[in-house]
Amino acid sequence: MRQSRALLVVVSSAVLVVLAVQAFGDSKDDLSRAKSDYDSMKSRLDDEKLKTDKYLDESVKLRQMDKDQLTDLINQICRLDIERNDDEAERIAKDLAVKVVDKVRRSYDQTVDDGSHVWDELGHLESDAKSLRGRVHDLESKEDVKSDAEHFHQDVDALIESVDKLMEKINRDKSTLDNVKDGVMKGANTPTIRARMDYGKEMHIKLQSSRSCDEKEVELSSGRPDCIKFDQDDCKVVEFKPDTYRESEAADQASRYLSDVRYRFKDDTRSKRCKHSSDGAIFTAVGELYTACRP
Amino acid sequence: MTDGLALGAALHFDHELAADPAPFTAIVKELFGECSPDSAYRHHYIWADQRKSPPGRPLDLRALLALITKGSVWRAAVESGLDASDADQSRVAAGTAPITKPSHSMTECRYGFDAAFGANRQRELGTQRILDAVIAFADAVAARAGVIQWATSTLYASCLASCGGSSKLSREQCGHIQDLMYWQPRWGDVVRGPQWGTFLGAAHVETLGGIARIEQDAGCARVIALRSGGAFLQVTPMDRPIVEDQHEEGELSRLAAFLGPVMGKRA
């Protein structure tokens, strides 16, 4: 009896020792697993850092592209001679704007996609890191790994902080990307572009008035001359163009209207003021340049 | 001497450059080359329809010829870049509308050609070379009338040639250009000019009694018979040019008297 009680004590003690060893063993394994998960998260964080840098780089390039494309678009619009609503030049300008918008939009969509992708991945990483922090927190109550877990907790906190910083960086950048949406991507509706497209029309109206044109934009089979003047002994057809043209180019355009103008105003009393050739009033073709709009 | 002077030239003809652009190609290649990526020379054109032309672009003769032969262009020009000074400027321009489209001509001829070369450009190219190129063009298109004039600025020479105006010319210069346009509606039937250089069409040569008689009696320093049957008459030698608005020794009046049968006559 005494022998069997002693055996029971020995067996019970052994079980307790085994249980205690097993318990210690589980905590250490948990901590080890947590550390392994941490290492994998750290490696994911490194990946995400690279992706974030790539995204930010793309975003900077997109904003630069937006700026460059806008400048280029304005330059091209300013080269044109937009005289009135819906004329050929205005249609060309609108087409240019559409092309540029398409180009920027493709880059914008790609950049936004890349940004969202990194953002989602960082979100997952953050959630995984927070769950790891919970597990480490639990391990802090285990005597055998307490000190190690407490130390490790700080590492996990640092990782979460790094993830948060990356997310904050992307978030900040996202708001500046909205400026691109309000920039060239609005195409002809962008105030900057609209103003350039209207500039030529305003200059034509201004010059037609300051040059005291007797006739403006008369419909002829050869086109619509900007200005016809019946000055004493000096009748002329004037074509206004931005200084991205040569004066001779504007005069060449004006010369296309001469025969029609002479015919149209043959019986007009104002034609009597012109010098006359053997066959009627003489009109000369004149080109006049105005300063083109600038970006 | 022609040093410091600008040269202006004008021709009137019926040759359809849209169908056969060789004469235009030849003069552009000779005086400007085929392309100018640095924009030292530009080409521009006026559409044959109502569209307004785009600004000139760096010379690309092939691209310009493609438009001309397609029949899309009313007038084609090659000229100096935007930054060229007056003395550095040069230009050739020609009517290129296809026969099926209105020519909007102001003369008896369907098409016009004008050219202007500043003093510096003449130094670069050689004045005689420019003259030869213009005369070769006149021959190739069988010009029916035309002139070559000297002026103190390229702008004035260009306006004299094209019968154009400019706010940068004086009122007297503009008035003078218009005075010279009195017979413009009949140029081709009658001669234009006479000027320092005067082109006669084949019909004029015939009316005047043939090239031999012209060589003998016109009193010109140089007479060139053209294969087209026309002729080029140069009143004085190159070192003694007649400059527009400046005194001359009556040579033009004497030539006008000789050309009487082929000049317009006021009633």
Side-chain angles (χ1 to χ4, degrees), chain A residues 96-150:
Chain A
L96 282 171
V98 167
K99 277 181 196 154
V100 170
V101 168
D102 275 356
K103 193 173 171 188
V104 175
R105 176 166 291 134
R106 273 198 300 276
S107 274
Y108 176 83
D109 289 347
Q110 179 67 50
T111 308
V112 167
D113 262 10
D114 290 350
S116 304
H117 195 66
V118 183
W119 176 265
D120 289 348
E121 285 180 351
L122 283 169
H124 289 310
L125 182 57
E126 187 192 36
S127 140
D128 291 349
K130 280 182 177 167
S131 129
L132 177 64
R133 184 168 61 186
R135 281 159 60 201
V136 174
H137 181 71
D138 290 346
L139 288 170
E140 283 172 346
S141 59
K142 310 286 180 189
E143 272 308 313
D144 57 333
V145 292
K146 186 176 188 271
S147 149
D148 209 0
E150 279 173 357

Side-chain angles (χ1 to χ4, degrees), chain B residues 11-17 94-95 107 109-113 137 141-145:
Chain B
L11 295 165
H12 306 282
F13 59 97
D14 296 317
H15 178 94
E16 189 189 9
L17 290 170
T107 73
C109 304
R110 215 179 132 70
Y111 304 109
F113 163 93
F137 181 88
V141 298
R144 290 172 57 193

Side-chain angles (χ1 to χ4, degrees), chain B residues 140-173:
Chain B
V141 298
R144 290 172 57 193
V147 290
I148 294 182
Q149 289 160 277
W150 296 99
T152 47
S153 74
T154 316
L155 176 66
Y156 191 29
S158 181
C159 288
L160 281 162
S162 65
C163 298
S166 169
S167 54
K168 292 174 195 146
L169 293 181
S170 70
R171 192 164 172 78
E172 290 70 30
Q173 287 174 321

Side-chain angles (χ1 to χ4, degrees), chain B residues 19-240:
Chain B
D20 169 24
F24 185 74
T25 309
I27 194 165
V28 172
K29 272 189 183 172
E30 175 68 9
L31 302 177
F32 295 88
E34 289 184 63
C35 58
S36 174
D38 61 354
S39 294
Y41 308 117
R42 311 196 325 157
H43 76 251
H44 81 93
Y45 48 83
I46 306 295
W47 291 116
D49 55 29
Q50 284 198 349
R51 281 176 294 168
K52 297 240 173 173
S53 63
R57 55 192 65 180
L59 171 62
D60 179 347
L61 184 57
R62 254 173 64 173
L64 182 60
L65 287 172
L67 288 171
I68 292 171
T69 51
K70 210 173 142 194
S72 315
V73 169
W74 175 72
R75 189 172 183 76
V78 175
E79 54 193 318
S80 315
L82 292 174
D83 300 331
S85 69
D86 185 82
D88 287 318
Q89 278 177 29
S90 52
R91 154 188 165 93
V92 296
T96 55
I99 208 97
T100 50
K101 292 186 177 161
S103 74
H104 303 290
S105 173
M106 301 297 288
T107 73
E108 278 293 328
C109 304
R110 215 179 132 70
Y111 304 109
F113 163 93
D114 65 84
F117 287 82
N120 293 346
R121 280 291 282 148
Q122 289 177 58
R123 259 194 294 276
E124 276 170 34
L125 286 165
T127 303
Q128 191 57 56
R129 184 174 161 197
I130 297 168
L131 280 178
D132 291 346
V134 172
I135 293 167
F137 181 88
D139 202 2
V141 298
R144 290 172 57 193
V147 290
I148 294 182
Q149 289 160 277
W150 296 99
T152 47
S153 74
T154 316
L155 176 66
Y156 191 29
S158 181
C159 288
L160 281 162
S162 65
C163 298
S166 169
S167 54
K168 292 174 195 146
L169 293 181
S170 70
R171 192 164 172 78
E172 290 70 30
Q173 287 174 321
C174 290
H176 179 59
I177 289 169
Q178 295 191 24
D179 289 342
L180 294 174
M181 290 165 69
Y182 184 81
W183 292 109
Q184 185 194 42
R186 292 195 52 210
W187 287 341
D189 276 358
V190 302
V191 295
R192 178 171 172 178
Q195 290 292 347
W196 176 82
T198 307
F199 288 91
L200 306 181
H204 302 141
V205 172
E206 208 182 310
T207 306
L208 291 168
I211 197 76
R213 185 180 167 250
I214 295 170
E215 281 171 342
Q216 194 183 314
D217 298 340
C220 291
R222 190 176 171 220
V223 173
I224 297 176
L226 304 179
R227 279 166 303 181
S228 58
F232 172 66
L233 279 53
Q234 182 182 315
V235 175
T236 60
M238 194 86 92
D239 59 3
R240 204 162 50 79

